[in-house]
Amino acid sequence: MGIADPSKRLEAIPPYKFQELEQQIADKRAAGIDVISLGIGDPDQPTYPHVVAAMQEAVTNPAYHQYPSNRGRDEFRAAFAEFYGRRFGVEIDPNGEVIPAIGAKECIYNLCFAFLDPGDVALASDPGYPVYTGGPILAGAEAELLPLVPELGFAPDLSAVPADVASRARLMFINYPNNPTGAIVPEGFFEQVVAFAKEHEILVVHDNAYSETTYDGYVAPSFLATPGAKEVGVEVFSLSKGYNMTGWRCAAILGNAEAIQTYWRLKTNVDSGLFEAIQMAGVSALEGPTDPLEQMNATYARRRDLVVSALGEIGVDVASPKGTIYVWAPVPEGHTSTSFCELVLEEAAVVISPGSMYGPSGEGFFRIALTAPDERIEEAVERMREHLS
Ligand SMILES: *Cc1c(COP(=O)(O)O)cnc(C)c1O
């Protein structure tokens, strides 16, 4: 064994695929090519001014400079409870049903360590956020894929989960509005999930990264608003995408009090909480004003329309997503996900991501992120029209 050899668990997961994408972009740029990246979903606009102002004030306060508690500040928990009541009609007890997370990614990963043993299974939406599979594997457990079926509005068919898999499952990761498909939750699906989780005693983890990023008047629900959801589930609410706060690492886990207590117990062994100045900035994000969010959504909707109509012109028909910062589309005849994305990179110097990057059920699709300035999106769709028509 060499001193830098990875553990067998680490070896078992493929390298984080976004790294390959970043390398491809870097190589092209080094060769002097003007690459437009619509690959990674990271908002291009700055954090809203009232949030930055709250942070500027908070960071000067020595009261926030010490170790935070993993339970979170009273103000943070109260702001989330108030927000969930006002926004989703969900009652949250600020003393037990919500604690901070250092981003949704940390939360999802640590939930795997809090709940999974070898032999246990986590059910993971496929295509899906890579940590739904990487987390369980690193925790020494197994990830079983839940294929999202286009004909079911990109919901999985829960009746297709084999009985022996369902009986070993302890966690289930779902996410609506959905990355990467842009789908919104189909009518009745959350209710099915609650029934399935009760039957098989599975803790549902609803990854809510996009409920505030929606279009055309669609208002996304919280999973926790589903009757019985709090008995079987938690929701991870991230401020990253909706509030342009990806760099801040600010999220919360809400819902089932016992599950949150178990996650807290794990965390006290792993990290030392979310910087309290960032918690106070999070409070200001949740309290509003909401017009920066509405303006941001109007911007994404405009970019989405540009992309959808340009794709139509090159023969790729897609439905306009009602949420998220992505357009998910089938690759043209004769292509795989990878071959089409390589063609677009070579011919148009535009980076888009192959659907297969998010799991085997993403094969045959590609994803365009709407997180580049309008003029870059316009340039990108112009190049695609020119080189691919
Ligand atoms: C971006 C994203 C995350 C990451 O959220 P952080 O709070 O920044 O860690 C989690 N889940 C999904 C589905 C995402 O798209």
Side-chain angles (χ1 to χ4, degrees):
M1 282 269 286
I3 55 160
D5 284 352
S7 66
K8 292 194 183 68
R9 286 175 183 182
L10 183 53
E11 195 91 274
I13 54 168
Y16 200 57
K17 295 206 177 104
F18 296 102
Q19 273 175 11
E20 287 168 31
L21 199 64
E22 279 167 14
Q23 190 57 47
Q24 277 180 322
I25 303 168
D27 292 349
K28 290 254 166 212
R29 288 199 174 132
I33 297 167
D34 173 31
V35 178
I36 303 176
S37 178
L38 307 180
I40 293 164
D42 187 354
D44 56 302
Q45 297 293 304
T47 304
Y48 306 141
H50 68 280
V51 181
V52 174
M55 181 68 181
Q56 282 172 320
E57 194 189 320
V59 84
T60 61
N61 186 344
Y64 304 144
H65 292 177
Q66 292 179 287
Y67 281 123
S69 101
N70 263 316
R71 293 218 181 273
R73 290 192 65 83
D74 289 347
E75 297 93 326
F76 183 87
R77 287 182 281 104
F80 259 101
E82 202 277 327
F83 176 77
Y84 261 62
R86 166 168 46 90
R87 168 66 182 84
F88 298 118
V90 172
E91 204 179 305
I92 292 291
D93 175 2
N95 303 310
E97 290 183 338
V98 52
I99 66 170
I102 310 174
K105 193 177 192 178
E106 172 268 295
C107 190
I108 292 161
Y109 174 85
N110 278 326
L111 284 168
C112 295
F113 282 79
F115 292 99
L116 300 176
D117 282 313
D120 290 343
V121 162
L123 299 171
S125 294
D126 161 37
Y129 189 60
V131 187
Y132 304 160
T133 49
I137 294 169
L138 285 171
E142 292 159 43
E144 287 283 346
L145 301 176
L146 280 180
L148 302 185
V149 184
E151 294 73 24
L152 299 178
F154 292 103
D157 176 5
L158 297 177
S159 69
V161 178
D164 63 309
V165 171
S167 71
R168 287 193 297 133
R170 289 213 61 205
L171 291 177
M172 172 172 176
F173 296 114
I174 54 169
N175 155 236
Y176 295 95
N178 183 261
N179 174 14
T181 68
I184 58 173
V185 65
E187 191 76 35
F189 177 66
F190 282 159
E191 287 78 2
Q192 279 177 37
V193 169
V194 169
F196 182 82
K198 278 190 179 155
E199 184 186 345
H200 300 286
E201 292 185 66
I202 297 170
L203 179 70
V204 178
V205 179
H206 181 242
D207 180 11
N208 183 358
Y210 297 101
S211 63
E212 305 317 292
T213 305
T214 59
Y215 316 113
D216 310 337
Y218 174 70
V219 179
S222 163
F223 170 68
L224 298 177
T226 315
K230 247 199 239 174
E231 291 157 44
V232 293
V234 290
E235 180 158 277
V236 184
F237 186 97
S238 172
L239 276 68
S240 284
K241 309 292 171 34
Y243 299 86
N244 297 345
M245 290 176 72
T246 47
W248 299 57
R249 317 310 304 131
C250 189
I253 180 170
L254 306 100
N256 187 277
E258 287 84 31
I260 290 173
Q261 176 75 11
T262 305
Y263 165 73
W264 169 83
R265 195 169 140 194
L266 185 275
K267 258 171 92 71
T268 57
N269 288 284
V270 176
D271 65 57
S272 299
L274 177 61
F275 182 23
E276 292 192 341
I278 293 181
Q279 292 187 40
M280 297 310 287
V283 168
S284 79
L286 295 174
E287 286 178 348
T290 55
D291 36 313
L293 186 54
E294 282 151 24
Q295 277 166 30
M296 198 64 237
N297 287 345
T299 298
Y300 287 135
R302 192 169 65 234
R303 295 173 181 177
R304 171 201 67 173
D305 293 344
L306 274 173
V307 168
V308 168
S309 74
L311 288 176
E313 284 173 43
I314 63 168
V316 177
D317 277 324
V318 294
S320 272
K322 287 195 162 48
T324 78
I325 50 180
Y326 311 106
V327 172
W328 181 251
V331 297
E333 279 283 318
H335 275 288
T336 65
S337 289
T338 316
S339 75
F340 182 66
C341 293
E342 275 168 6
L343 178 79
V344 173
L345 182 61
E346 286 312 312
E347 297 289 320
V350 173
V351 181
I352 58 177
S353 34
S356 51
M357 183 185 255
Y358 306 93
S361 299
E363 179 52 54
F365 292 88
F366 64 95
R367 192 193 79 172
I368 294 183
L370 302 171
T371 49
D374 287 33
E375 56 284 6
R376 295 296 276 170
I377 300 222
E378 276 167 30
E379 165 77 18
V381 297
E382 195 44 53
R383 286 190 204 170
M384 285 173 72
R385 249 197 302 258
E386 189 181 320
H387 294 281
L388 302 167
S389 285

